[in-house]
Amino acid sequence: MREILYLNNDWKYSDNFEDDMILPGYGDSTMEVVRIPHTVAVTPFNYFDDRIYQKVSCYRKSFNAEQSWKGKRIKLCFMGAAHEANVFFNGQLLGTHSSGYTSFSFDITDRIRFDGPNCLVVKLDSRESLNVPPFGFVVDYMTYGGIYRDVLIELTDKTYIEDSFVYTTVPAVYNASEDAKEIAPKAVGSFINAKIKISGDIKGCTLKHYLKRVSGVMPGGEKDEYENRVLMAETSANETNDFSYHTLPVCVWDVTNPALYDYEIELVKDEKIIDSKTERFGFRSARFVADGFYLNGRKLKIRGLNRHQSYPYVGYAMPSSMQVEDARILKEELGVNAVRCSHYPQSQDFINECDRIGLLVFMEFPGWQHIGDEAWKEQAIVNEKEMIIQYRNHPSIIIWGVRINESADDDEFYKKTNEVAHELDPSRQTGGVKASGKMHTFEDVYTYNDFSFEGTKNGCQKKKAVTPDMNKGYLVTEYNGHMYPTKSFDDENHRKEHAIRHVKVMDAIAGEHDIAGGFGWCMFDYNTHKDFGSGDRICYHGVMDMFRNPKMAAFAYGMQQDEENVLEISSSMDIGEHPAGIREDIWIFTNADSVKMYKNNLFIKEYKREDTPFKNLKHGPILVDDFVGDQLYENEKFSKGMADAVKRALNIAATSGMGKLGFRDYITGAKLLTLYKMSVKDVVDMYQKYIGDWGGKATSFKFEAIKDGKVVKTLVKETVSDVRLETIVSSEKLYEGRTYDVASIRIRAVDQNGNVLPYFNECVKAKTEGAIELIGPKTIPLRGGMAGLYVKTRRRQGSKGKLHLKLEASEKIKKDIEFTVMEGEGRNV
Ligand code: GAL
């Protein structure tokens, strides 16, 4: 039977390669013992040169074959090695693989030794001078080197299932206008199509196909046929087998109820199961048409973000748990329904999680703006084929990107990439990301990076201004990004503008009935080359920082979902933060029905969801426009009309400054002095009393988010009197399984009310003991009041690990986190 054995531990690594290193033991004493995922260079946080990971390095692993492997077919698989791997086995070259983003394998059945250790060596070239995508010009992201995804051995019978592709034909089960939130799970009879390839001696073989539902809720909570394993069919096997069956009602995979099924194939010979393979998939239909995107018949506006697969210090080298965590953050914290894997295929663990949680995926082959020579293009086609064959069973993937991101037209090349995609996967449409409108289009969907929004005017271009063919679907694949780089330690106005720009584009796209949706650039900041970014080798384009801490713009996304209550205010309410003490616009980011605002515990105003100017979004930010409330009517002896006029003037002065007071307001002022006999000092005192100002008495603002009549979240903004460290740990349970495990710890300096302190830049010192160790430096500064660190498990070092965090400047501010390390895959399956 099929068996997977991971080869992630006990590799020897050298920063350079010598020919003799393909021999066992050569240079052992100078080589470092490492585990996979591995990076060829641990990088600083910023200000580093990409040359530190551009090298030819050597990985060597010695392992013994078990006697039980005899007679089996033995396949060696690399899930990801960046960027060109020459693989040697027992002194001989097995082959070369020239893409850092897809997996590859070699059949080592005839080369394996049973009489002594086997020697596996990888000569890894991670130089950007390679003539393969994405190299050849400049690239706006670092392309870290290393064997950074799992290495494994797959054992099967010599006659085995080589490949299986499952896709479905599902009728439209929802109405076009059904709302994403309210839709109930649906079940419907569908078609399941399978292409199965068998290798070896197929004479007398039979294939058995089973179906089993593994997640999702059946309508009405009923049990369905496929909740248990059900035999679908039995057929005699050929080398290539095409099947199509009609099913009894099955639960459809959707963003709200991502029902997954296992398609299990058994290869039977002489009544013995000689191989079996399981493909996890979903029943769903996903189509881009002229007026938008339809999932299972329902029109769904795609609201997504672009993701790179990089992390501070270790580049691409993070295990499954961190990939899974990114998918969770996208869905739960950022509330998006889609992600674009820019600009290369990303970890299977990440995509598996997208399948599991219902996050739609735009998947594309590697490349960035540049198209190389014929050899380069051939490699691009190989990359494309590998991408489609390796990822085509994932229900979350709704479109293939088959153009080099933002490259020029190349008709012959792109005719070919589209043909390849349609041939290998008849079930999905193609896109190809373009930087200009009206380009040649062999793809099914016009996918375009719309950077037209520069802060004013329209949030996006019209479809007809961009596409040459109105009959095809149209999707915005990037917006914002370099148009407004923003650091978490930028001033408040800048961070707010960044957030509002994201809102404006989202709102504009939501308002265009024929745009399928959009992907913001991008999920988090990333290290980049000298040609881009802020000079420190970081593109500050994220709605989160590199550690996945939220910038203000993250709330603009997070508030679009309804599962978690969101309440955030764009201001700390400190007027000294703003030029001339002018507050300008203050926005409430919430998904609540309404927000009540109090000043020093006095009710001022209830803001309703409908008050937002962003009418196309379900939840749009709401502008704070009243600091006075009913106080003037209650406290002062003004007529109703006069109180209204004074309130208006006070609110204008509070948000926009005296300079913005109009003629009407000056008349009001004159009336106060004449009719109401107030002195100038009285007027100033009144301003201090109701608005509060420079040097005035500290004000406490309270905001209550209300849903279904209940306060669901409260936020208080007042003078900071205490600083605490808040930590968000991805998981305190870690697993030593196929390799080491990692937990992310996001750290924030917060005040007594839990508000992040954006200018708190002190250092945190971290110390570990027991079963965990730190990734990266031991002392880290907070940036924008936030930081992050990663701990990884240590092999065979017990089951308890402790992380001690302490603020360098104040011994009092500290925190301990305890981790339990267990054996097994745990959640990482
Ligand atoms: C796009 C490109 C992205 C990123 C972005 C920055 O042109 O596709 O990779 O560089 O600009 O806004």
Side-chain angles (χ1 to χ4, degrees), residues 300-316:
L300 182 72
K301 196 60 98 170
I302 290 175
R303 196 184 54 252
L305 284 163
N306 282 272
R307 176 196 186 236
H308 269 303
Q309 60 173 13
S310 53
Y311 297 82
Y313 318 127
V314 291
Y316 289 165

mmCIF file of all heavy atoms in Angstrom, residues 300-316:
data_model
loop_
_atom_site.group_PDB
_atom_site.id
_atom_site.type_symbol
_atom_site.label_atom_id
_atom_site.label_comp_id
_atom_site.label_asym_id
_atom_site.label_seq_id
_atom_site.Cartn_x
_atom_site.Cartn_y
_atom_site.Cartn_z
ATOM 1 N N LEU A 300 -21.193 36.551 -6.864
ATOM 2 C CA LEU A 300 -20.390 36.838 -5.677
ATOM 3 C C LEU A 300 -19.298 37.834 -6.042
ATOM 4 O O LEU A 300 -18.512 37.605 -6.956
ATOM 5 C CB LEU A 300 -19.754 35.540 -5.169
ATOM 6 C CG LEU A 300 -18.917 35.655 -3.907
ATOM 7 C CD1 LEU A 300 -19.797 35.879 -2.681
ATOM 8 C CD2 LEU A 300 -18.083 34.390 -3.694
ATOM 9 N N LYS A 301 -19.267 38.935 -5.328
ATOM 10 C CA LYS A 301 -18.228 39.930 -5.575
ATOM 11 C C LYS A 301 -16.952 39.448 -4.888
ATOM 12 O O LYS A 301 -16.942 39.194 -3.678
ATOM 13 C CB LYS A 301 -18.701 41.255 -4.973
ATOM 14 C CG LYS A 301 -17.983 42.479 -5.425
ATOM 15 C CD LYS A 301 -18.018 42.781 -6.900
ATOM 16 C CE LYS A 301 -19.050 43.785 -7.323
ATOM 17 N NZ LYS A 301 -18.924 44.249 -8.701
ATOM 18 N N ILE A 302 -15.908 39.304 -5.659
ATOM 19 C CA ILE A 302 -14.649 38.849 -5.085
ATOM 20 C C ILE A 302 -13.998 40.005 -4.338
ATOM 21 O O ILE A 302 -13.825 41.091 -4.881
ATOM 22 C CB ILE A 302 -13.721 38.308 -6.195
ATOM 23 C CG1 ILE A 302 -14.319 36.983 -6.699
ATOM 24 C CG2 ILE A 302 -12.295 38.148 -5.707
ATOM 25 C CD1 ILE A 302 -13.599 36.382 -7.850
ATOM 26 N N ARG A 303 -13.715 39.773 -3.081
ATOM 27 C CA ARG A 303 -13.020 40.796 -2.287
ATOM 28 C C ARG A 303 -11.790 40.109 -1.702
ATOM 29 O O ARG A 303 -11.892 39.278 -0.800
ATOM 30 C CB ARG A 303 -13.939 41.308 -1.179
ATOM 31 C CG ARG A 303 -13.467 42.609 -0.562
ATOM 32 C CD ARG A 303 -14.333 43.059 0.589
ATOM 33 N NE ARG A 303 -14.456 42.013 1.567
ATOM 34 C CZ ARG A 303 -15.536 41.293 1.784
ATOM 35 N NH1 ARG A 303 -16.632 41.516 1.111
ATOM 36 N NH2 ARG A 303 -15.557 40.330 2.692
ATOM 37 N N GLY A 304 -10.637 40.389 -2.285
ATOM 38 C CA GLY A 304 -9.464 39.627 -1.882
ATOM 39 C C GLY A 304 -8.235 40.479 -1.661
ATOM 40 O O GLY A 304 -8.255 41.712 -1.797
ATOM 41 N N LEU A 305 -7.167 39.804 -1.299
ATOM 42 C CA LEU A 305 -5.865 40.448 -1.137
ATOM 43 C C LEU A 305 -4.812 39.562 -1.797
ATOM 44 O O LEU A 305 -4.990 38.344 -1.904
ATOM 45 C CB LEU A 305 -5.532 40.611 0.348
ATOM 46 C CG LEU A 305 -6.264 41.742 1.067
ATOM 47 C CD1 LEU A 305 -6.197 41.557 2.583
ATOM 48 C CD2 LEU A 305 -5.670 43.110 0.692
ATOM 49 N N ASN A 306 -3.743 40.181 -2.247
ATOM 50 C CA ASN A 306 -2.612 39.443 -2.780
ATOM 51 C C ASN A 306 -1.729 38.978 -1.634
ATOM 52 O O ASN A 306 -1.546 39.698 -0.655
ATOM 53 C CB ASN A 306 -1.786 40.346 -3.699
ATOM 54 C CG ASN A 306 -2.420 40.500 -5.061
ATOM 55 O OD1 ASN A 306 -2.182 39.698 -5.956
ATOM 56 N ND2 ASN A 306 -3.280 41.511 -5.227
ATOM 57 N N ARG A 307 -1.146 37.794 -1.800
ATOM 58 C CA ARG A 307 -0.240 37.284 -0.771
ATOM 59 C C ARG A 307 1.083 36.836 -1.391
ATOM 60 O O ARG A 307 1.095 36.148 -2.403
ATOM 61 C CB ARG A 307 -0.866 36.081 -0.063
ATOM 62 C CG ARG A 307 0.070 35.427 0.953
ATOM 63 C CD ARG A 307 -0.377 34.033 1.368
ATOM 64 N NE ARG A 307 0.458 33.495 2.433
ATOM 65 C CZ ARG A 307 1.114 32.333 2.354
ATOM 66 N NH1 ARG A 307 1.038 31.590 1.280
ATOM 67 N NH2 ARG A 307 1.853 31.920 3.366
ATOM 68 N N HIS A 308 2.188 37.245 -0.760
ATOM 69 C CA HIS A 308 3.475 36.617 -1.029
ATOM 70 C C HIS A 308 3.645 35.521 0.011
ATOM 71 O O HIS A 308 2.946 35.497 1.020
ATOM 72 C CB HIS A 308 4.607 37.637 -0.903
ATOM 73 C CG HIS A 308 4.927 38.327 -2.200
ATOM 74 N ND1 HIS A 308 5.275 37.640 -3.323
ATOM 75 C CD2 HIS A 308 4.954 39.655 -2.542
ATOM 76 C CE1 HIS A 308 5.501 38.497 -4.315
ATOM 77 N NE2 HIS A 308 5.298 39.727 -3.871
ATOM 78 N N GLN A 309 4.600 34.615 -0.224
ATOM 79 C CA GLN A 309 4.765 33.523 0.747
ATOM 80 C C GLN A 309 5.972 33.762 1.667
ATOM 81 O O GLN A 309 6.554 32.829 2.180
ATOM 82 C CB GLN A 309 4.905 32.189 0.016
ATOM 83 C CG GLN A 309 6.103 32.126 -0.922
ATOM 84 C CD GLN A 309 6.326 30.738 -1.519
ATOM 85 O OE1 GLN A 309 5.474 29.869 -1.442
ATOM 86 N NE2 GLN A 309 7.480 30.523 -2.103
ATOM 87 N N SER A 310 6.318 35.025 1.899
ATOM 88 C CA SER A 310 7.543 35.298 2.656
ATOM 89 C C SER A 310 7.278 35.677 4.109
ATOM 90 O O SER A 310 6.182 36.139 4.461
ATOM 91 C CB SER A 310 8.304 36.425 1.962
ATOM 92 O OG SER A 310 7.458 37.531 1.778
ATOM 93 N N TYR A 311 8.324 35.487 4.915
ATOM 94 C CA TYR A 311 8.283 35.788 6.350
ATOM 95 C C TYR A 311 9.589 36.493 6.725
ATOM 96 O O TYR A 311 10.610 36.293 6.057
ATOM 97 C CB TYR A 311 8.182 34.484 7.153
ATOM 98 C CG TYR A 311 6.907 33.715 6.876
ATOM 99 C CD1 TYR A 311 6.803 32.894 5.759
ATOM 100 C CD2 TYR A 311 5.800 33.839 7.710
ATOM 101 C CE1 TYR A 311 5.631 32.201 5.489
ATOM 102 C CE2 TYR A 311 4.623 33.146 7.446
ATOM 103 C CZ TYR A 311 4.546 32.337 6.338
ATOM 104 O OH TYR A 311 3.383 31.660 6.059
ATOM 105 N N PRO A 312 9.576 37.280 7.797
ATOM 106 C CA PRO A 312 10.836 37.891 8.215
ATOM 107 C C PRO A 312 11.866 36.806 8.547
ATOM 108 O O PRO A 312 11.490 35.721 8.994
ATOM 109 C CB PRO A 312 10.462 38.660 9.494
ATOM 110 C CG PRO A 312 8.982 38.772 9.478
ATOM 111 C CD PRO A 312 8.458 37.645 8.660
ATOM 112 N N TYR A 313 13.102 37.102 8.353
ATOM 113 C CA TYR A 313 14.283 36.279 8.702
ATOM 114 C C TYR A 313 14.463 35.011 7.858
ATOM 115 O O TYR A 313 15.555 34.718 7.414
ATOM 116 C CB TYR A 313 14.299 35.859 10.188
ATOM 117 C CG TYR A 313 13.884 36.955 11.149
ATOM 118 C CD1 TYR A 313 12.872 36.755 12.085
ATOM 119 C CD2 TYR A 313 14.500 38.211 11.113
ATOM 120 C CE1 TYR A 313 12.482 37.762 12.956
ATOM 121 C CE2 TYR A 313 14.119 39.224 11.981
ATOM 122 C CZ TYR A 313 13.106 38.997 12.887
ATOM 123 O OH TYR A 313 12.715 39.983 13.739
ATOM 124 N N VAL A 314 13.397 34.227 7.693
ATOM 125 C CA VAL A 314 13.587 32.910 7.056
ATOM 126 C C VAL A 314 13.063 32.862 5.629
ATOM 127 O O VAL A 314 13.057 31.798 5.007
ATOM 128 C CB VAL A 314 12.932 31.780 7.883
ATOM 129 C CG1 VAL A 314 13.686 31.562 9.177
ATOM 130 C CG2 VAL A 314 11.462 32.062 8.132
ATOM 131 N N GLY A 315 12.655 33.982 5.099
ATOM 132 C CA GLY A 315 12.199 34.016 3.706
ATOM 133 C C GLY A 315 11.001 33.120 3.469
ATOM 134 O O GLY A 315 9.930 33.337 4.019
ATOM 135 N N TYR A 316 11.221 32.095 2.654
ATOM 136 C CA TYR A 316 10.119 31.191 2.296
ATOM 137 C C TYR A 316 9.993 30.002 3.249
ATOM 138 O O TYR A 316 9.043 29.225 3.142
ATOM 139 C CB TYR A 316 10.370 30.611 0.898
ATOM 140 C CG TYR A 316 10.223 31.580 -0.255
ATOM 141 C CD1 TYR A 316 10.725 31.248 -1.517
ATOM 142 C CD2 TYR A 316 9.565 32.801 -0.115
ATOM 143 C CE1 TYR A 316 10.592 32.104 -2.604
ATOM 144 C CE2 TYR A 316 9.436 33.666 -1.193
ATOM 145 C CZ TYR A 316 9.942 33.316 -2.436
ATOM 146 O OH TYR A 316 9.801 34.159 -3.513
#
